[in-house]
Amino acid sequence: MLPHLDEDGLTDSGRWRELGVTHWHLTVGEVTTGDPARYRIERWRELVGARYEGTTDDPREALRWITDQRIDAVKRATHPDACLARAGWDSEARWLAALEVTWMMLTRTLGPAGGGISVSDGRSIEIYADAMTPRSCGKAH
């Protein structure tokens, strides 16, 4: 079982507030790794448009959601151990270190936190919490 980070040990620098982040859009989608257009933001929005999972204004909730999505993707992978190894998460320490990096991305940057997980030959699950400001968000919540 893959663990969550101990939230009591997480430090929130507040930098995200200084950057004007008010909430995160939570998105997950499956891509074909043979699709070179998958790196274009328009293609990504098209892919995840149907998988928009909602919003949160709490970075801890965003981290829990990303962690849950990653755990689910690993469970659904054709070969879970190979999936973890390809992602560099083949030990609990490396898994937790990756979550700490995600936490830093959530709380210190103005942009998406998360990333892709290769779940089989040719398929990747892309999981993101995208930081939003009043200017960047066009959705009615």
Side-chain angles (χ1 to χ4, degrees), residues 118-132:
S118 176
V119 293
S120 71
D121 290 340
R123 280 188 23 238
S124 175
I125 305 294
E126 303 289 326
I127 302 161
Y128 289 97
D130 200 5
M132 293 286 124

Side-chain angles (χ1 to χ4, degrees), residues 79-95:
H79 302 286
D81 290 338
C83 172
L84 289 168
R86 279 191 302 267
W89 303 334
D90 46 353
S91 72
E92 185 173 307
R94 291 179 72 167
W95 168 262

Side-chain angles (χ1 to χ4, degrees), residues 31-52:
V31 297
T32 303
T33 55
D35 177 8
R38 72 187 185 281
Y39 294 114
R40 291 198 322 259
I41 192 67
E42 301 83 20
R43 177 74 172 127
W44 170 246
R45 287 189 178 125
E46 180 183 307
L47 287 168
V48 299
R51 292 298 308 269
Y52 172 72

Side-chain angles (χ1 to χ4, degrees), residues 11-28:
T11 301
D12 182 354
S13 67
R15 176 78 177 126
W16 60 277
R17 288 183 194 91
E18 294 170 13
L19 293 169
V21 174
T22 56
H23 63 285
W24 290 264
H25 286 177
L26 308 175
T27 57
V28 60

